[in-house]
Amino acid sequence: IFMLDNGIYTGEIEARVSYETPAVTRAALESVGWGRISGYTTYAYEDANRNVNIQLACRAVNGKKVLPGAEFSFNGTTGKRTEEKGYLPAAAIAGGATVDEVGGGVCQVSSTLFNACAMADMEIVERSPHTWPSTYVDKGRDATVNWPNLDFRFRNTLAYPLFITASF
């Protein structure tokens, strides 16, 4: 860069190479025996806006890698649910009442992920229930999210990377 900054466009540059040992080795990955660690399924409603929101949240978390000891944040991954991102108004619980809110319904995705994580014995770092039971999971099995106040977060307690798959 020094050469370019001084108008010198030809010359030699010494390249230094360093090698680092990865945190996870090929041998460790090959010993894992790839496959599903856990899974959980919920079912969508006949609400077009809600289903769009669920689909967008699934796309946001799908394929995410969580390294051993690393923490996953639902809000950190999906970001703020906005109309600019394609989220639509749909039913959500806010202040103890059901209201239409942009991104309504994404709690179904966080709750589904929470259940899969609980079944895989992940460390649940942050999780809050709704004001009243949800209809898409059993009582006490929900994980409400609301940007930026309520998040669902877990830590990968496995000795190998975890890959999230989510689909609608």
Side-chain angles (χ1 to χ4, degrees), residues 24 66-70 156-162:
V24 179
V66 186
L67 294 174
N156 179 359
T157 57
L158 304 171
Y160 45 86
L162 173 75

Side-chain angles (χ1 to χ4, degrees), residues 31-92:
S31 72
V32 168
W34 297 96
R36 177 186 270 190
I37 296 165
S38 73
Y40 197 83
T41 301
T42 57
Y43 297 94
Y45 294 86
E46 292 183 17
D47 179 322
N49 284 8
R50 178 187 173 84
N51 290 343
V52 165
N53 297 338
I54 291 171
Q55 186 174 33
L56 289 170
C58 282
R59 284 184 191 156
V61 301
N62 186 51
K64 295 302 178 202
K65 173 177 63 174
V66 186
L67 294 174
E71 189 177 291
F72 174 89
S73 163
F74 187 87
N75 280 342
T77 302
T78 61
K80 184 176 183 180
R81 276 70 76 183
T82 65
E83 290 176 336
E84 292 76 25
K85 289 182 171 180
Y87 288 94
L88 302 171

Side-chain angles (χ1 to χ4, degrees), residues 11-25:
E12 293 184 23
I13 299 173
E14 180 183 338
R16 295 185 191 146
V17 178
S18 64
Y19 295 93
E20 294 183 27
T21 303
V24 179
T25 65

